[in-house]
Amino acid sequence: MSKNDKKQQVETTGHEWDGIQEFNNPLPRWWVWVFYVTIGWGLWYTVAYPAWPLLTGATEGYKGFSTRGQVAADIAAVEAQNAPNNAALAASDLATLQTANPALYSYAVNAGGAVFRTNCVQCHGNEGMGATGYPTLSDDDWLWGGSVVDIAYTVSNGVRNESSPDARFSQMPAFGDILSNEEIANVVAYVRALSGQEADATAAAAGQQVFLDNCSACHGEDGKGDRMVGAPNLADALWLYGGDAATITQTVKNARFGVMPAWSEAFRDGGLTQAEVNAVAIYVHQLGGGE
Amino acid sequence: MSQGDTPLYAAREPIFPKRVSGRFRNLKWGIMLFTLGIYYLTPWIRWDRGPEMPDQAVLVDLAGRRFFFFWIEIWPHEFYFVAGLLIMAGLGLFLFTSALGRVWCGYACPQTVWTDLFILVERWIEGDRNARLRLHRAKWSLNKLRLRLTKWVVWLLIGLATGGAWVFYFTDAPSLAVALVNGTAHPVAYTTMAILTASTFFFGGIAREQVCIYACPWPRIQAAMMDEDTITIGYRGWRGEPRGKASDPNAGDCIDCMACVNVCPMGIDIRDGQQMECITCGLCIDACDDIMTKMGRERGLVDYLALKDETREREGMKKTPIWRHVLRPRTIFYTALWSAFGLAMVFALFVRADIDITVAPVRNPTFVTMSDGSIRNTYDIRIRNKNGEAHKFVFSQTSTERLWLSVEGSEARVVEVPADQMLQVRVYITADAGSPAATAERTVLRFWVQDLESSERASADSYFTGKVR
């Protein structure tokens, strides 16, 4: 059978241009039906799911599906899963949790890590490494106390803020208006000597009396600080704002007023629940400096 | 489609292998019993590993990421044992193929074993070759429907048992068996069983030899391992040809009874010579030997033959003894390679420790200054306790400089790791203020972990980062 014979057998559409005819080769039936089904499915889809654009939004679809709704549902599912742990954590005695309930403790460390990385790292840094003006949480020096209960209180109520009536509060006077420049220079030398840094011996000797008169009420006669008022230990190697003479002079003259928000949901919208406060306190406590 | 075009699709010619008995058939029955026995019974073997460990001898614990094989326990980081076993299996196949041809295909391959079982069931229900041929050609009737349905149900039951046995390898078999019956087992178990039931039914009942011919890559690779010394199945054509009636004095030994063709599960005629489809199962040898014995002629018209012997025998020389075919440089090389892997793995198995540690220094921040001016680094150390009981471990470190080690949550620097678990422990190294390590950029140190019960030790190297002004 030649090619011409084959041509004879096939139906043509009747179209002809310059002797060239158009074959009629219809699509297979099943293929066409699949095509119709996809059209039907496409129409159904636009009714079932958000599809048609409107002036201020789009049709919602009768199934009420949205990706935001899906995320919300996923979050709700995880929260429901964690609810028993959180309830137990909110009610537990933080000081003894590690030995009393190791599993819940481990949950708290992980959950607290998430809370910390969301809310705390902005100032306190990764793993609580701290920054100038923002205390390092992984060392052994604490302004307001480093027990897990102390930490939970600080997280809940914050420091020197106006939202919590129970916030940790103290204020160092700006000694620039009280002391003379010479007295300030002397007390700075004394403070540097206290922490074992290089200082002019005569100035430091003169500064001791200034310190006892003006500073020891909060920082203690030995300069080791007082946690009741959040007065830093001046005799150690750690400086929140810097231990060089210029920075200490600035601190003495103008004072510092570091503020931390009260994180409890009692004091701010979208704040931390009691379980989250406890979790982040446990996390911070195990960063390396917990007492 | 016009005439003269070859269709691209070849419809399958149904095969109805005839019942046969003989040496190789008996060997195949034995191997089938043995391999199916291993497959079905292994999950039920118990092995005592202590109270906190599973007591199943062979268990792939995917959730716990452990593989148990009698006294051996493999952790994920020891997966090279599994890789080694796979390499050994591969080399073993090379060895057997170069010595004995497609002996794996003919006797031990699951596809062959299960198909053999399915054909056995088919014969029990529908009768031998002729009855099955007749049934195949018959129009659908109540009787045909009854026979087919019975066969399919039995096949499905075998498939179900196959899938059922498979899931037992992945969790405790007795408790899973109870859960499966109660309907409380995990959906994954039911899904796996359903998939394996369907695939067993399809591969053993419907696809059969087509899997070997079209789907399996192994037959194609095997040709590379075979040479003229490899034992395959051959037809002594110089003895059998020309075919003819037994009474014909001019004819050869082959009486063209088609016995060898009728029993072949691959549907080929071995007298056409070496063929891709042949899985060297030896059933044609049994069939032909049976006929030759009845005829009073010499057996072995169809026989296990090396290509080399075929040439020799055709020229009237004597056959080379089997051991001279099998023992040749190629097989000796494969054996040596196989044994080398085996010995290396046995060695690795015996020297591996029951504990080991890995150290990850906390890099952000690299160090923390303490209130007394000392410098502290933090490390996350993972201890793996592969013992069957909880063990206590004590930490220490060695270094050229003076460093102090402390462990989060333990003043005694001791932690307890539960049986067969990994524990992450936070460890601190402190260098005194102004000491060499505290001011150097990098100080090398080695962490040690000692098992307080067995005194076994493990170590890992790390470094200490100081504060460089």
Side-chain angles (χ1 to χ4, degrees):
Chain A
M1 199 183 282
S2 74
K3 278 183 180 170
N4 281 335
D5 292 338
K6 187 185 171 190
K7 205 184 283 175
Q8 299 284 322
Q9 292 170 351
V10 179
E11 198 186 334
T12 67
T13 55
H15 303 155
E16 186 178 347
W17 296 272
D18 300 338
I20 300 168
Q21 290 180 309
E22 184 184 351
F23 284 155
N24 183 18
N25 283 323
L27 293 165
R29 280 286 95 191
W30 66 266
W31 197 97
V32 177
W33 278 112
V34 170
F35 179 58
Y36 291 151
V37 168
T38 59
I39 291 175
W41 186 83
L43 286 175
W44 168 82
Y45 187 93
T46 64
V47 180
Y49 289 94
W52 298 107
L54 304 173
L55 278 181
T56 54
T59 54
E60 286 185 3
Y62 78 81
K63 288 176 83 95
F65 173 86
S66 80
T67 44
R68 280 171 187 239
Q70 202 172 30
V71 172
D74 287 352
I75 292 174
V78 172
E79 277 175 358
Q81 196 188 340
N82 287 339
N85 274 336
N86 286 335
L89 188 56
S92 43
D93 175 17
L94 296 185
T96 57
L97 186 64
Q98 186 168 15
T99 44
N101 190 345
L104 189 59
Y105 178 82
S106 163
Y107 167 80
V109 169
N110 286 300
V115 173
F116 189 87
R117 285 185 286 274
T118 310
N119 300 290
C120 314
V121 285
Q122 291 87 338
C123 295
H124 289 288
N126 192 44
E127 298 258 343
M129 69 201 284
T132 303
Y134 302 103
T136 303
L137 304 177
S138 50
D139 63 22
D140 57 346
D141 187 28
W142 296 91
L143 292 172
W144 301 93
S147 75
V148 68
V149 176
D150 286 337
I151 297 171
Y153 184 94
T154 307
V155 171
S156 249
N157 296 290
V159 178
R160 297 186 192 98
N161 61 60
E162 286 170 4
S163 36
S164 166
D166 295 323
R168 307 261 194 205
F169 199 90
S170 66
Q171 185 167 2
M172 175 172 164
F175 285 96
D177 304 333
I178 301 167
L179 300 176
S180 70
N181 280 349
E182 192 196 340
E183 285 171 316
I184 290 174
N186 289 344
V187 83
V188 166
Y190 176 73
V191 165
R192 278 179 59 81
L194 263 184
S195 55
Q197 299 190 85
E198 214 180 288
D200 180 57
T202 44
Q208 183 171 18
Q209 195 53 50
V210 182
F211 187 87
L212 288 175
D213 292 345
N214 296 284
C215 316
S216 61
C218 294
H219 290 288
E221 289 186 12
D222 50 4
K224 290 204 169 158
D226 182 359
R227 286 181 178 181
M228 291 304 290
V229 290
N233 182 348
L234 304 176
D236 66 11
L238 299 176
W239 295 91
L240 188 51
Y241 292 91
D244 57 293
T247 311
I248 298 176
T249 306
Q250 207 180 7
T251 305
V252 173
K253 274 189 171 170
N254 306 316
R256 305 282 181 180
F257 195 74
V259 174
M260 169 173 162
W263 286 98
S264 166
E265 61 184 351
F267 308 119
R268 60 191 276 136
D269 287 342
L272 306 180
T273 62
Q274 189 57 46
E276 285 172 324
V277 168
N278 289 355
V280 80
I282 286 171
Y283 172 78
V284 168
H285 185 260
Q286 58 86 56
L287 279 176
E291 292 172 347
Chain B
M1 193 190 308
S2 66
Q3 286 177 340
D5 286 349
T6 334
L8 294 171
Y9 175 77
R12 179 195 178 215
E13 299 271 341
I15 299 167
F16 306 92
K18 192 173 154 61
R19 202 175 87 87
V20 65
S21 51
R23 288 182 287 166
F24 297 111
R25 180 65 265 185
N26 289 342
L27 181 59
K28 268 171 80 79
W29 288 137
I31 289 175
M32 181 199 278
L33 209 64
F34 180 67
T35 49
L36 288 181
I38 289 178
Y39 178 71
Y40 285 112
L41 297 180
T42 304
W44 300 92
I45 306 172
R46 302 288 104 185
W47 190 270
D48 185 26
R49 294 189 182 86
E52 291 165 74
M53 307 275 279
D55 65 345
Q56 187 158 320
V58 177
L59 177 67
V60 183
D61 182 1
L62 289 178
R65 295 188 186 83
R66 298 283 183 278
F67 173 54
F68 299 99
F69 185 83
F70 295 92
W71 64 96
I72 302 170
E73 182 190 347
I74 306 266
W75 286 48
H77 67 286
E78 293 166 327
F79 196 75
Y80 53 83
F81 281 112
V82 179
L85 272 181
L86 288 174
I87 292 172
M88 281 182 74
L91 288 172
L93 277 177
F94 292 0
L95 170 63
F96 274 93
T97 305
S98 71
L100 302 171
R102 294 180 64 182
V103 64
W104 162 262
C105 303
Y107 292 88
C109 175
Q111 175 65 23
T112 298
V113 170
W114 259 270
T115 304
D116 228 17
L117 183 64
F118 272 53
I119 292 176
L120 179 69
V121 168
E122 190 171 76
R123 196 162 58 229
W124 277 343
I125 293 166
E126 297 181 346
D128 207 356
R129 175 179 161 83
N130 291 339
R132 300 215 298 279
L133 261 170
R134 232 176 294 124
L135 190 69
H136 173 69
R137 290 185 191 131
K139 286 223 172 72
W140 280 100
S141 66
L142 216 58
N143 187 44
K144 182 169 177 174
L145 190 68
R146 181 182 63 84
L147 289 172
R148 282 283 144 94
L149 277 180
T150 319
K151 179 176 81 173
W152 289 337
V153 166
V154 177
W155 281 358
L156 274 176
L157 287 176
I158 296 174
L160 192 66
T162 309
W166 179 262
V167 294
F168 289 144
Y169 282 89
F170 295 87
T171 182
D172 183 54
S175 45
L176 178 63
V178 174
L180 281 174
V181 174
N182 291 344
T184 53
H186 195 277
V188 167
Y190 291 112
T191 315
T192 310
M193 283 175 69
I195 291 172
L196 285 177
T197 304
S199 60
T200 310
F201 181 89
F202 179 73
F203 285 129
I206 317 245
R208 291 191 181 172
E209 81 287 345
Q210 297 178 95
V211 173
C212 315
I213 298 172
Y214 301 115
C216 182
W218 183 227
R220 313 297 155 96
I221 302 168
Q222 284 178 109
M225 280 130 220
M226 290 158 72
D227 52 35
E228 59 274 27
D229 272 316
T230 303
I231 314 279
T232 57
I233 292 188
Y235 164 61
R236 292 195 161 94
W238 58 93
R239 213 187 103 191
E241 303 294 322
R243 301 168 201 174
K245 287 204 173 113
S247 52
D248 185 348
N250 295 324
D253 277 352
C254 178
I255 57 166
D256 210 9
C257 63
M258 301 297 274
C260 57
V261 178
N262 292 343
V263 299
C264 180
M266 306 301 289
I268 57 168
D269 187 341
I270 194 64
R271 296 170 300 175
D272 294 344
Q274 292 275 314
Q275 282 154 84
M276 182 194 82
E277 289 87 349
C278 179
I279 56 169
T280 70
C281 62
L283 294 185
C284 49
I285 303 179
D286 280 346
C288 188
D289 278 353
D290 192 32
I291 300 291
M292 289 296 119
T293 312
K294 278 180 191 153
M295 304 273 305
R297 290 178 183 173
E298 195 193 337
R299 291 156 65 111
L301 184 56
V302 180
D303 203 357
Y304 273 110
L305 267 182
L307 280 177
K308 217 181 213 172
D309 279 340
E310 219 168 286
T311 334
R312 286 171 63 88
E313 283 191 29
R314 199 187 296 277
E315 288 163 5
M317 288 190 280
K318 276 200 84 178
K319 202 179 147 181
T320 327
I322 294 251
W323 67 267
R324 290 196 53 183
H325 289 302
V326 172
L327 277 185
R328 59 183 199 274
R330 185 174 196 151
T331 55
I332 291 167
F333 174 71
Y334 282 141
T335 313
L337 215 55
W338 187 85
S339 322
F341 266 96
L343 287 175
M345 281 190 18
V346 169
F347 179 74
L349 202 59
F350 278 105
V351 299
R352 71 179 183 153
D354 282 339
I355 53 171
D356 79 321
I357 63 170
T358 49
V359 177
V362 171
R363 308 276 302 266
N364 186 11
T366 48
F367 64 84
V368 171
T369 312
M370 305 307 281
S371 56
D372 61 359
S374 58
I375 301 295
R376 190 178 72 185
N377 284 13
T378 308
Y379 303 83
D380 285 328
I381 298 189
R382 290 183 168 87
I383 310 182
R384 299 189 185 88
N385 173 20
K386 299 178 199 164
N387 294 293
E389 320 83 43
H391 276 206
K392 284 187 170 149
F393 297 93
V394 62
F395 282 92
S396 60
Q397 58 84 26
T398 50
S399 165
T400 51
E401 305 296 341
R402 261 161 63 95
L403 294 170
W404 311 101
L405 181 143
S406 56
V407 174
E408 174 69 35
S410 165
E411 291 202 13
R413 303 196 296 272
V414 172
V415 294
E416 187 176 70
V417 187
D420 199 41
Q421 293 285 314
M422 191 268 294
L423 186 75
Q424 182 172 319
V425 186
R426 186 153 265 222
V427 173
Y428 305 108
I429 297 284
T430 310
D432 290 337
S435 67
T439 49
E441 187 170 339
R442 199 172 242 246
T443 307
V444 172
L445 77 152
R446 177 169 293 174
F447 286 99
W448 290 93
V449 163
Q450 183 163 19
D451 189 330
L452 283 180
E453 279 158 64
S454 68
S455 296
E456 198 179 336
R457 299 213 292 173
S459 69
D461 289 346
S462 191
Y463 57 87
F464 181 89
T465 309
K467 183 180 188 180
V468 186
R469 291 252 182 215

PDB file of all heavy atoms in Angstrom, chain B residues 22-38:
ATOM      1  N   GLY B  22      12.353 -34.357  39.664  1.00  0.00           N
ATOM      2  CA  GLY B  22      13.746 -34.688  39.400  1.00  0.00           C
ATOM      3  C   GLY B  22      14.664 -33.986  40.379  1.00  0.00           C
ATOM      4  O   GLY B  22      14.205 -33.328  41.307  1.00  0.00           O
ATOM      5  N   ARG B  23      15.968 -34.132  40.135  1.00  0.00           N
ATOM      6  CA  ARG B  23      16.978 -33.607  41.058  1.00  0.00           C
ATOM      7  C   ARG B  23      16.810 -32.111  41.279  1.00  0.00           C
ATOM      8  O   ARG B  23      16.776 -31.616  42.399  1.00  0.00           O
ATOM      9  CB  ARG B  23      18.374 -33.830  40.468  1.00  0.00           C
ATOM     10  CG  ARG B  23      18.859 -35.223  40.464  1.00  0.00           C
ATOM     11  CD  ARG B  23      20.260 -35.249  39.896  1.00  0.00           C
ATOM     12  NE  ARG B  23      20.271 -35.020  38.450  1.00  0.00           N
ATOM     13  CZ  ARG B  23      21.366 -34.731  37.754  1.00  0.00           C
ATOM     14  NH1 ARG B  23      22.523 -34.590  38.382  1.00  0.00           N
ATOM     15  NH2 ARG B  23      21.319 -34.553  36.451  1.00  0.00           N
ATOM     16  N   PHE B  24      16.751 -31.360  40.181  1.00  0.00           N
ATOM     17  CA  PHE B  24      16.768 -29.903  40.302  1.00  0.00           C
ATOM     18  C   PHE B  24      15.452 -29.372  40.836  1.00  0.00           C
ATOM     19  O   PHE B  24      15.411 -28.380  41.557  1.00  0.00           O
ATOM     20  CB  PHE B  24      17.155 -29.270  38.970  1.00  0.00           C
ATOM     21  CG  PHE B  24      18.540 -29.661  38.554  1.00  0.00           C
ATOM     22  CD1 PHE B  24      18.768 -30.488  37.461  1.00  0.00           C
ATOM     23  CD2 PHE B  24      19.635 -29.234  39.297  1.00  0.00           C
ATOM     24  CE1 PHE B  24      20.035 -30.869  37.103  1.00  0.00           C
ATOM     25  CE2 PHE B  24      20.925 -29.621  38.937  1.00  0.00           C
ATOM     26  CZ  PHE B  24      21.128 -30.445  37.843  1.00  0.00           C
ATOM     27  N   ARG B  25      14.351 -30.086  40.472  1.00  0.00           N
ATOM     28  CA  ARG B  25      13.056 -29.695  41.016  1.00  0.00           C
ATOM     29  C   ARG B  25      13.080 -29.873  42.541  1.00  0.00           C
ATOM     30  O   ARG B  25      12.624 -29.003  43.286  1.00  0.00           O
ATOM     31  CB  ARG B  25      11.952 -30.547  40.375  1.00  0.00           C
ATOM     32  CG  ARG B  25      10.533 -30.257  40.829  1.00  0.00           C
ATOM     33  CD  ARG B  25      10.068 -28.888  40.438  1.00  0.00           C
ATOM     34  NE  ARG B  25      10.260 -27.928  41.518  1.00  0.00           N
ATOM     35  CZ  ARG B  25       9.848 -26.670  41.461  1.00  0.00           C
ATOM     36  NH1 ARG B  25       9.246 -26.196  40.390  1.00  0.00           N
ATOM     37  NH2 ARG B  25      10.043 -25.860  42.466  1.00  0.00           N
ATOM     38  N   ASN B  26      13.644 -30.980  43.016  1.00  0.00           N
ATOM     39  CA  ASN B  26      13.715 -31.220  44.458  1.00  0.00           C
ATOM     40  C   ASN B  26      14.574 -30.165  45.146  1.00  0.00           C
ATOM     41  O   ASN B  26      14.232 -29.671  46.215  1.00  0.00           O
ATOM     42  CB  ASN B  26      14.275 -32.610  44.745  1.00  0.00           C
ATOM     43  CG  ASN B  26      13.273 -33.694  44.385  1.00  0.00           C
ATOM     44  OD1 ASN B  26      12.076 -33.409  44.253  1.00  0.00           O
ATOM     45  ND2 ASN B  26      13.755 -34.909  44.184  1.00  0.00           N
ATOM     46  N   LEU B  27      15.698 -29.808  44.476  1.00  0.00           N
ATOM     47  CA  LEU B  27      16.554 -28.773  45.026  1.00  0.00           C
ATOM     48  C   LEU B  27      15.783 -27.451  45.138  1.00  0.00           C
ATOM     49  O   LEU B  27      15.852 -26.745  46.140  1.00  0.00           O
ATOM     50  CB  LEU B  27      17.783 -28.595  44.126  1.00  0.00           C
ATOM     51  CG  LEU B  27      18.813 -27.566  44.567  1.00  0.00           C
ATOM     52  CD1 LEU B  27      19.357 -27.924  45.942  1.00  0.00           C
ATOM     53  CD2 LEU B  27      19.949 -27.486  43.558  1.00  0.00           C
ATOM     54  N   LYS B  28      15.010 -27.166  44.098  1.00  0.00           N
ATOM     55  CA  LYS B  28      14.218 -25.927  44.108  1.00  0.00           C
ATOM     56  C   LYS B  28      13.164 -25.950  45.208  1.00  0.00           C
ATOM     57  O   LYS B  28      12.935 -24.940  45.870  1.00  0.00           O
ATOM     58  CB  LYS B  28      13.539 -25.714  42.744  1.00  0.00           C
ATOM     59  CG  LYS B  28      14.372 -24.880  41.789  1.00  0.00           C
ATOM     60  CD  LYS B  28      13.802 -24.858  40.393  1.00  0.00           C
ATOM     61  CE  LYS B  28      12.656 -23.876  40.253  1.00  0.00           C
ATOM     62  NZ  LYS B  28      13.120 -22.480  40.120  1.00  0.00           N
ATOM     63  N   TRP B  29      12.511 -27.118  45.396  1.00  0.00           N
ATOM     64  CA  TRP B  29      11.546 -27.208  46.507  1.00  0.00           C
ATOM     65  C   TRP B  29      12.249 -26.929  47.835  1.00  0.00           C
ATOM     66  O   TRP B  29      11.746 -26.205  48.682  1.00  0.00           O
ATOM     67  CB  TRP B  29      10.879 -28.586  46.575  1.00  0.00           C
ATOM     68  CG  TRP B  29       9.878 -28.910  45.503  1.00  0.00           C
ATOM     69  CD1 TRP B  29       9.776 -30.101  44.850  1.00  0.00           C
ATOM     70  CD2 TRP B  29       8.843 -28.071  44.984  1.00  0.00           C
ATOM     71  NE1 TRP B  29       8.752 -30.063  43.939  1.00  0.00           N
ATOM     72  CE2 TRP B  29       8.150 -28.812  44.003  1.00  0.00           C
ATOM     73  CE3 TRP B  29       8.437 -26.771  45.236  1.00  0.00           C
ATOM     74  CZ2 TRP B  29       7.087 -28.300  43.278  1.00  0.00           C
ATOM     75  CZ3 TRP B  29       7.367 -26.266  44.517  1.00  0.00           C
ATOM     76  CH2 TRP B  29       6.704 -27.023  43.555  1.00  0.00           C
ATOM     77  N   GLY B  30      13.425 -27.522  47.983  1.00  0.00           N
ATOM     78  CA  GLY B  30      14.169 -27.356  49.240  1.00  0.00           C
ATOM     79  C   GLY B  30      14.522 -25.901  49.482  1.00  0.00           C
ATOM     80  O   GLY B  30      14.318 -25.372  50.578  1.00  0.00           O
ATOM     81  N   ILE B  31      15.028 -25.260  48.417  1.00  0.00           N
ATOM     82  CA  ILE B  31      15.431 -23.856  48.570  1.00  0.00           C
ATOM     83  C   ILE B  31      14.212 -22.984  48.841  1.00  0.00           C
ATOM     84  O   ILE B  31      14.249 -22.062  49.655  1.00  0.00           O
ATOM     85  CB  ILE B  31      16.205 -23.384  47.317  1.00  0.00           C
ATOM     86  CG1 ILE B  31      17.564 -24.062  47.288  1.00  0.00           C
ATOM     87  CG2 ILE B  31      16.369 -21.877  47.310  1.00  0.00           C
ATOM     88  CD1 ILE B  31      18.382 -23.791  46.050  1.00  0.00           C
ATOM     89  N   MET B  32      13.086 -23.307  48.178  1.00  0.00           N
ATOM     90  CA  MET B  32      11.869 -22.529  48.415  1.00  0.00           C
ATOM     91  C   MET B  32      11.447 -22.643  49.881  1.00  0.00           C
ATOM     92  O   MET B  32      11.165 -21.633  50.542  1.00  0.00           O
ATOM     93  CB  MET B  32      10.729 -23.035  47.527  1.00  0.00           C
ATOM     94  CG  MET B  32       9.441 -22.236  47.708  1.00  0.00           C
ATOM     95  SD  MET B  32       7.985 -23.087  47.136  1.00  0.00           S
ATOM     96  CE  MET B  32       8.051 -22.757  45.406  1.00  0.00           C
ATOM     97  N   LEU B  33      11.451 -23.866  50.402  1.00  0.00           N
ATOM     98  CA  LEU B  33      11.057 -24.099  51.793  1.00  0.00           C
ATOM     99  C   LEU B  33      11.982 -23.318  52.733  1.00  0.00           C
ATOM    100  O   LEU B  33      11.545 -22.666  53.680  1.00  0.00           O
ATOM    101  CB  LEU B  33      11.154 -25.598  52.083  1.00  0.00           C
ATOM    102  CG  LEU B  33      10.193 -26.138  53.132  1.00  0.00           C
ATOM    103  CD1 LEU B  33       8.764 -25.976  52.653  1.00  0.00           C
ATOM    104  CD2 LEU B  33      10.511 -27.605  53.399  1.00  0.00           C
ATOM    105  N   PHE B  34      13.281 -23.374  52.421  1.00  0.00           N
ATOM    106  CA  PHE B  34      14.285 -22.748  53.265  1.00  0.00           C
ATOM    107  C   PHE B  34      14.155 -21.214  53.245  1.00  0.00           C
ATOM    108  O   PHE B  34      14.070 -20.564  54.291  1.00  0.00           O
ATOM    109  CB  PHE B  34      15.672 -23.180  52.766  1.00  0.00           C
ATOM    110  CG  PHE B  34      16.809 -22.602  53.543  1.00  0.00           C
ATOM    111  CD1 PHE B  34      17.012 -22.964  54.871  1.00  0.00           C
ATOM    112  CD2 PHE B  34      17.686 -21.700  52.954  1.00  0.00           C
ATOM    113  CE1 PHE B  34      18.062 -22.437  55.603  1.00  0.00           C
ATOM    114  CE2 PHE B  34      18.744 -21.159  53.666  1.00  0.00           C
ATOM    115  CZ  PHE B  34      18.922 -21.534  54.995  1.00  0.00           C
ATOM    116  N   THR B  35      14.081 -20.637  52.040  1.00  0.00           N
ATOM    117  CA  THR B  35      14.045 -19.170  51.955  1.00  0.00           C
ATOM    118  C   THR B  35      12.726 -18.623  52.488  1.00  0.00           C
ATOM    119  O   THR B  35      12.710 -17.637  53.237  1.00  0.00           O
ATOM    120  CB  THR B  35      14.246 -18.691  50.502  1.00  0.00           C
ATOM    121  OG1 THR B  35      13.367 -19.436  49.654  1.00  0.00           O
ATOM    122  CG2 THR B  35      15.656 -18.905  50.034  1.00  0.00           C
ATOM    123  N   LEU B  36      11.601 -19.267  52.144  1.00  0.00           N
ATOM    124  CA  LEU B  36      10.326 -18.790  52.669  1.00  0.00           C
ATOM    125  C   LEU B  36      10.300 -18.949  54.182  1.00  0.00           C
ATOM    126  O   LEU B  36       9.755 -18.106  54.898  1.00  0.00           O
ATOM    127  CB  LEU B  36       9.153 -19.538  52.035  1.00  0.00           C
ATOM    128  CG  LEU B  36       8.850 -19.195  50.573  1.00  0.00           C
ATOM    129  CD1 LEU B  36       7.662 -19.994  50.078  1.00  0.00           C
ATOM    130  CD2 LEU B  36       8.578 -17.711  50.411  1.00  0.00           C
ATOM    131  N   GLY B  37      10.912 -20.032  54.657  1.00  0.00           N
ATOM    132  CA  GLY B  37      10.987 -20.255  56.104  1.00  0.00           C
ATOM    133  C   GLY B  37      11.718 -19.117  56.781  1.00  0.00           C
ATOM    134  O   GLY B  37      11.261 -18.552  57.779  1.00  0.00           O
ATOM    135  N   ILE B  38      12.872 -18.763  56.228  1.00  0.00           N
ATOM    136  CA  ILE B  38      13.634 -17.641  56.784  1.00  0.00           C
ATOM    137  C   ILE B  38      12.776 -16.384  56.791  1.00  0.00           C
ATOM    138  O   ILE B  38      12.660 -15.684  57.790  1.00  0.00           O
ATOM    139  CB  ILE B  38      14.917 -17.392  55.949  1.00  0.00           C
ATOM    140  CG1 ILE B  38      15.913 -18.520  56.168  1.00  0.00           C
ATOM    141  CG2 ILE B  38      15.545 -16.045  56.325  1.00  0.00           C
ATOM    142  CD1 ILE B  38      17.176 -18.365  55.344  1.00  0.00           C
TER     143      ILE B  38
END
